[in-house]
Amino acid sequence: MKILIVEDERKTGDYLRQGLSEAGFVADLVRDGIEGRHAALHDDYDLVVLDVMLPGLDGWQVLRGIRAAGKQVPVLFLTARDQVEDRVKGLEEGADDYLVKPFAFSELLARVRTLLRRGKTRVSNHLRVANLELDLIRRRATRDGRRIDLTAKEFALLELLLRRHGEILPRSLIASQVWDMNFDSDTNVVEVAVRRLRAKIDDDFEPKLIRTVRGMGYVLEAPDGS
Ligand code: CA
C-alpha cells in the first residue's frame, strides 16, 4: 500500500513518513502543494494525507485538482484545531476524512487503515450507531430523529466515541483527543463531560449507548452490536 504525504512542516512530515513506513506502508513525502498535486495525479497512491496550509497550492486546491482529474483516491485532511469551517469545506470538496492537529500517531494510523479498508468508495458525512446520528457537515446530532444540542466539546467527544464505537477508550486517550491534555492531566473533566453527554443522548432514549467500563474507560456501542 502506497501513501502520499503532503506536509510542509518538516517535523510533522518526517514523523509521518517514518511512522507510516514502520507500519509497513510505502510512504512518500512532498513538502508543497504543487509537488503534492503532481505526485497525486501522476503516481498511483492508495491514500493521500494532505495538510491544509501549504506553500504553492493550499490543501483545498490540491484536493480540487485531484477530484477534477477524476481520481477517487481517499484523502485524509490534516486541519488546524477548532477550524470547523476547514473541516466542513474539506468534506464538501471531497475529502474522505480529517484529523485535527495535533493528533496522536495511533489515531492517524487507525484512520488510515479504515480509509484503506473502505477503498475508493466515497464516505458519507454521517456517523451512525443504532438510532444515534451525527452529521459532520452541519455539526448536528440527532437521536431517533430528534435534534440534540451539543456544545463543541460534547460534539467532539461524541464524534470520537462514534468513530471508535465498540472500542473501550481510556480517559487519557479521550483527554488527549478532545481536550489536547496529556496523560497526567486531571481526567475528571472527561468524567464530567461524559456524564453531561450521556444525560443528553442516553437518558431519554433507548437503547443506552455509552457505557462505563470500570477502571478502563468508556465505550459507545449498541447492545445488539448494530
Ligand atoms: Ca502546513
Side-chain angles (χ1 to χ4, degrees):
M1 289 286 194
K2 231 171 119 175
I3 298 179
L4 174 66
I5 305 155
V6 190
E7 168 62 270
D8 61 313
E9 251 171 69
R10 197 151 287 274
K11 266 174 81 176
T12 312
D14 291 343
Y15 167 74
L16 287 177
R17 175 166 55 185
Q18 190 186 341
L20 289 169
S21 302
E22 283 169 3
F25 298 101
V26 176
D28 292 341
L29 170 65
V30 297
R31 302 188 193 268
D32 72 63
I34 294 170
E35 276 185 71
R37 186 175 65 181
H38 183 85
L41 293 183
H42 294 95
D43 210 333
D44 257 334
Y45 287 100
D46 298 292
L47 183 112
V48 180
V49 178
L50 181 59
D51 187 30
V52 176
M53 298 296 285
L54 289 167
L57 299 169
D58 66 28
W60 293 311
Q61 292 171 305
V62 174
L63 178 61
R64 240 172 271 149
I66 295 173
R67 295 296 181 240
K71 285 242 177 194
Q72 291 303 308
V73 56
V75 173
L76 173 61
F77 230 33
L78 303 180
T79 172
R81 177 156 291 275
D82 294 330
Q83 295 295 306
V84 171
E85 279 177 21
D86 274 12
R87 293 175 221 171
V88 172
K89 193 166 172 183
L91 292 172
E92 283 174 348
E93 301 263 357
D96 296 276
D97 200 358
Y98 61 84
L99 206 50
V100 178
K101 286 181 172 180
F103 49 82
F105 183 74
S106 57
E107 181 60 22
L108 177 110
L109 198 55
R111 300 288 184 87
V112 163
R113 291 199 165 122
T114 304
L115 285 173
L116 288 173
R117 256 201 313 274
R118 216 184 255 157
K120 296 186 181 184
T121 53
R122 295 305 316 288
V123 191
S124 103
N125 300 315
H126 292 75
L127 298 171
R128 185 201 307 266
V129 168
N131 55 5
L132 171 66
E133 189 172 322
L134 221 51
D135 180 333
L136 298 176
I137 294 225
R138 295 190 186 78
R139 315 293 293 170
R140 247 184 223 170
T142 51
R143 184 103 206 241
D144 222 357
R146 262 164 67 191
R147 171 88 180 269
I148 296 166
D149 283 321
L150 300 176
T151 64
K153 287 296 175 202
E154 287 165 352
F155 192 94
L157 171 60
L158 185 56
E159 182 183 343
L160 177 67
L161 286 163
L162 268 165
R163 281 187 187 282
R164 309 274 290 263
H165 68 93
E167 250 180 85
I168 299 168
L169 303 181
R171 287 176 186 78
S172 56
L173 181 141
I174 295 174
S176 72
Q177 292 289 309
V178 179
W179 283 270
D180 198 21
M181 298 187 312
N182 63 43
F183 188 79
D184 299 322
S185 303
D186 178 13
T187 51
N188 186 41
V189 64
V190 176
E191 286 176 39
V192 172
V194 169
R195 201 180 310 138
R196 290 211 180 112
L197 181 62
R198 233 179 205 160
K200 289 186 179 182
I201 72 145
D202 262 351
D203 280 6
D204 298 338
F205 300 94
E206 291 297 335
K208 307 299 179 204
L209 296 175
I210 299 176
R211 215 158 38 82
T212 306
V213 184
R214 199 162 289 281
M216 295 184 76
Y218 302 96
V219 60
L220 185 153
E221 64 187 343
D224 61 359
S226 69

